[in-house]
Amino acid sequence: RLEQALEQRRFQLHFQPVVEARDPDNLLHYKVLARLPDAQGRCLPAGRFLPWLERFGWMARFDRMMLALVLEQMAGHRLPLALSLSTASLESAQAQAELLALLRRHTALSSRLTLELAGNRPLPAAQLESLAHSLRRLGFALSLQHFGGRFGGLGNLSRLGLAWLKVDGGYIQHIDREEDKRRFLAALQQTARSIDLPLIAERVETPEELQVLRVLGFQGVVGRLFGEPAPWTALGSGVPVRDQA
């Protein structure tokens, strides 16, 4: 069923708003997520099918399909998006070349699409730097998501020109009640500010967590508090987009 879904591009795009921490009415971008309709018409979340795609070695195929769907979808609007890529699409020179070739055909969209890699499963430093430079030449931005626990090497990221760093939700949950997490995030924010790298908090779920993040100086937030992932047609149009220029 997964192979048919890949061949027939049956995966659906869902979008979750990422907003300013100080003013959640201002949209920074939409995070693109994949959903797979089942036989009953329900949408399966990525956690149900990504492990199987990894097991079958199909993540590079999945990434190419998702990127193609997103680039096609972007032709119908002017809003900024962020799309995750797996390391499987970048460890192989051929897979990376195929992704870059697809992006090269859509450079007119480059200012509105940021590609995200998992900060908890990073590429080797030299390979990450090469990818960042290749994307920059095409006009696309790169960022890291699910980051945490190893900010000692954060300064090495300054030369990559990352758009932002998304901090893993495990470090965000209950920060209003857990002082050790607040201390960690304060140190992370101080280091990120020194290299002019915006921080975005993942899985923000309560007003109390949001307030702590505001005090710490986080730029952006994403989570249930601001909207669940939804199809494009279900999204409201009343959220203003912050000028990123």
Side-chain angles (χ1 to χ4, degrees), residues 20 40-41 49 119 140 164 198 201 206:
E20 284 190 354
Q40 289 73 42
F49 55 80
F140 292 90
W164 57 71
T206 70

Side-chain angles (χ1 to χ4, degrees), residues 19-24 28 210 213-214 217-221 226:
V19 300
E20 284 190 354
R22 292 205 169 274
D23 185 1
L28 296 177
L210 174 60
L213 293 166
R214 286 171 169 167
F218 272 58
Q219 182 192 21
V221 284
F226 315 101

